[in-house]
Amino acid sequence: MRWLPAILALSALPGAAQARSPEALACAIKAAPPQLDDRLADVVLAADPDKDKPATDALQALVDRCADDQFLNAKERSAYFEYTLGRMARDALDVRLADERISAGLIDRALDIGPGNANNPAEKVTAGDLRRVSMALAEAGTDPAKVTPVGWGLIKAWIVATAQMMTGQRAFD
């Protein structure tokens, strides 16, 4: 058992392979100023990282501060930025979806995305994704034809933000 302290010491070294704790992943989110999540949701909705450059710059500064505290390398920092952007956008989009009477959980279940689901990597939102969400809405008693263009935009942004969040998180697992 004399080797146990050495293994424990090695596992604590920066760069040691280990999944990040929920607290570590939440570092930048907890430090974020009010409304940053809404501004980042607008960035995801616009599908344009330059939509609100001050918001993404503010997020980068938060991520960098937390990454320094956690001894993250460049690849991990990039993944942490992607995770945090997706997570914060999802937080704001969840509220907006609810305002449109669309369940974020329904989207997650229809596409098997989000925490605890398969989260197959995707490059973009497909017609098949939207068809599955449409069928799930119908099964839940919501006529998909009555979903507004704003609602469909929010659904697409939710899917994108979820992919960003899960891709970033996967880099730590």
Side-chain angles (χ1 to χ4, degrees):
M1 284 280 217
R2 290 188 306 187
W3 47 265
L4 185 58
I7 290 175
L8 292 174
L10 283 174
S11 68
L13 287 175
Q18 56 187 319
R20 299 288 167 190
S21 71
E23 296 81 18
L25 288 173
C27 174
I29 296 162
K30 289 179 181 179
Q35 277 71 51
L36 182 58
D37 55 350
D38 282 316
R39 293 172 62 197
L40 294 171
D42 289 340
V43 169
V44 173
L45 271 164
D48 180 2
D50 294 325
K51 163 84 170 121
D52 187 344
K53 185 101 169 80
T56 54
D57 288 348
L59 177 61
Q60 187 66 62
L62 291 169
V63 164
D64 286 343
R65 215 168 324 153
C66 291
D68 287 345
D69 290 346
Q70 298 176 42
F71 303 104
L72 300 183
N73 63 36
K75 181 181 173 192
E76 291 168 327
R77 281 174 190 262
S78 177
Y80 186 48
F81 179 88
E82 188 170 6
Y83 166 82
T84 306
L85 173 61
R87 167 75 189 280
M88 290 183 73
R90 268 177 56 105
D91 290 348
L93 291 167
D94 186 33
V95 173
R96 295 179 193 184
L97 283 163
D99 288 346
E100 291 284 319
R101 293 179 173 68
I102 299 169
S103 165
L106 178 138
I107 301 166
D108 284 354
R109 286 186 301 279
L111 300 177
D112 200 19
I113 61 174
N117 293 316
N119 293 294
N120 295 320
E123 295 297 316
K124 61 183 180 178
V125 180
T126 67
D129 294 333
L130 297 179
R131 191 171 30 260
R132 285 195 298 277
V133 171
S134 181
M135 290 183 333
L137 285 166
E139 289 171 10
T142 299
D143 182 355
K146 293 188 177 177
V147 174
T148 67
V150 169
W152 284 110
L154 292 169
I155 289 168
K156 291 176 190 176
W158 178 265
I159 296 166
V160 169
T162 302
Q164 288 176 307
M165 180 181 85
M166 299 311 298
T167 299
Q169 185 174 353
R170 211 182 277 92
F172 291 117
D173 292 339

